[in-house]
Amino acid sequence: MQLCWGFLWICLHLLTQCNLGAAGGVGFAYAGEFMQRGYDVVICDVRDCSSAAKALESRHPEGGKIHHVKCDVSSQKDVLNLGKFAKEKLGTIGYWINNAGINGGRRDLREVSMDQVEMVVRVNLIGVLLCTKISMEIMGEQEEVVGHIFNTVGSGVKGGGTPGYACYGATKRGLPQLTATLVKELDEGVQGYEKKKTKGTIQVHSLSPGMVFTKLLLDDSTPELRKFPFGVLAAQPEEVAADLVPKILAQKSNGGSVEFLTTDRILNKFFERFILQKKSAYIDDDGNVIKMPGEQYDETGARALY
């Protein structure tokens, strides 16, 4: 099953993207956290995300402003329009989070259509490259402003196999290389060429939200996967955003790494589950998503955030 994609920006303004589109998932939660701190936000998605914007506005009436725009991140035209829209609405962009992504469905590569292969690469890799390029151009023109770009990594980022997600894992594996390259280009320039001078300072970082209970994670999952590792390590979008947003704002040097599933957190979760025998609040003993009263869930078990 193909998932939708989108971007979420938060400005200082900040710009960020989310893997299920700004209309849901961790990107929606990021937006709320930044708005609550007084940041103006631009959200965008390949779908209309006006409902998401209204929900965020109603939940954070005393927070920052929110703006929304439709955007296909694999389209040069749309990304250029996104950059223009962000500058018009936000003025100065302090943070840009590349968090859009699709997994193409959990399948053997031989069973994935050629169109799906191309789509995953276009969204997860070309989309990040296009958006990183436009964000660097914008931030470079911001006089005496430090602009931060965050590339979101996922399963496959460390080079291990990702059975069922060959395309997704390959695209995510490429992002650390991209980030490392840009850090060197910004700090040292390109050998044989004069280092480019900019009015503003640009920094590029890595962002790892870990396993988040969204459609991207739960789509085509099995009871075994939901029991472990999801039931042990996965977290709700709001929990992830509350942890990561302060870390994002605390970044000061180029090439930083921000992650939710730190070694200490992983060890603590293992200790609680396997030593203390603490049960998951989200997955039952049979590997089913525990549905809370009053909440709405889709066919994969992902909870609607608004």
Side-chain angles (χ1 to χ4, degrees):
M1 180 182 295
Q2 178 181 319
L3 300 184
C4 55
W5 62 93
F7 290 66
L8 164 85
W9 303 15
I10 303 170
C11 180
L12 173 156
H13 305 349
L14 165 91
L15 169 72
T16 170
Q17 313 163 337
C18 54
N19 45 11
L20 289 181
V26 72
F28 181 87
Y30 284 154
E33 285 293 325
F34 278 102
M35 288 179 68
Q36 191 63 36
R37 288 166 169 77
Y39 289 88
D40 291 344
V41 178
V42 170
I43 60 174
C44 76
D45 198 292
V46 70
R47 306 166 298 175
D48 175 68
C49 51
S50 56
S51 295
K54 289 179 181 178
L56 287 165
E57 188 174 45
S58 65
R59 293 181 188 182
H60 307 281
E62 304 300 323
K65 296 179 181 178
I66 184 164
H67 310 278
H68 63 91
V69 65
K70 199 171 181 180
C71 177
D72 174 353
V73 301
S74 68
S75 162
Q76 295 181 41
K77 181 180 178 180
D78 280 15
V79 171
L80 287 169
N81 181 63
L82 180 59
K84 180 180 178 182
F85 182 86
K87 288 199 300 183
E88 290 176 350
K89 298 298 182 181
L90 305 176
T92 301
I93 298 175
Y95 300 86
W96 182 303
I97 301 177
N98 288 321
N99 190 50
I102 57 174
N103 63 20
R106 184 171 169 270
R107 296 285 188 278
D108 184 305
L109 179 61
R110 292 166 292 184
E111 299 176 7
V112 179
S113 71
M114 299 291 271
D115 285 344
Q116 281 292 87
V117 171
E118 184 177 359
M119 182 61 71
V120 172
V121 175
R122 287 184 61 82
V123 173
N124 294 5
L125 194 53
I126 294 178
V128 171
L129 283 162
L130 291 176
C131 290
T132 298
K133 175 176 169 58
I134 195 66
S135 62
M136 291 178 74
E137 292 174 357
I138 293 171
M139 292 175 177
E141 291 299 315
Q142 296 177 158
E143 190 87 43
E144 297 183 355
V145 173
V146 179
H148 300 269
I149 302 167
F150 288 84
N151 289 324
T152 301
V153 299
S155 181
V157 67
K158 295 182 179 180
T162 55
Y165 299 108
C167 300
Y168 178 82
T171 57
K172 289 300 181 181
R173 176 63 169 166
L175 295 186
Q177 201 282 337
L178 170 62
T179 299
T181 295
L182 295 178
V183 168
K184 283 186 173 293
E185 285 186 2
L186 291 166
D187 288 346
E188 305 169 12
V190 178
Q191 186 179 25
Y193 296 88
E194 183 179 352
K195 185 178 178 182
K196 185 175 181 180
K197 296 180 180 179
T198 57
K199 298 176 183 178
T201 300
I202 307 166
Q203 295 187 356
V204 185
H205 316 282
S206 177
L207 176 65
S208 176
M211 298 179 188
V212 189
F213 281 112
T214 63
K215 184 176 177 65
L216 186 70
L217 180 73
L218 294 170
D219 189 40
D220 290 335
S221 63
T222 63
E224 290 74 23
L225 279 174
R226 291 192 290 272
K227 284 190 287 186
F228 182 82
F230 300 171
V232 177
L233 297 176
Q236 294 296 336
E238 298 92 338
E239 180 185 358
V240 174
D243 178 81
L244 291 183
V245 169
K247 294 177 180 177
I248 289 170
L249 293 173
Q251 287 302 296
K252 301 299 181 184
S253 58
N254 197 17
S257 179
V258 173
E259 58 182 344
F260 177 75
L261 278 178
T262 60
T263 300
D264 286 347
R265 178 172 270 118
I266 291 172
L267 292 175
N268 184 61
K269 285 179 176 288
F270 280 174
F271 179 78
E272 290 180 342
R273 179 66 184 90
F274 299 113
I275 303 301
L276 299 183
Q277 297 294 302
K278 182 179 179 180
K279 293 183 179 295
S280 170
Y282 309 117
I283 303 295
D284 66 22
D285 292 338
D286 296 319
N288 300 308
V289 173
I290 299 173
K291 297 181 178 180
M292 303 300 170
E295 300 285 0
Q296 294 184 339
Y297 297 81
D298 68 12
E299 69 281 0
T300 70
R303 175 174 57 88
L305 299 185
Y306 62 93

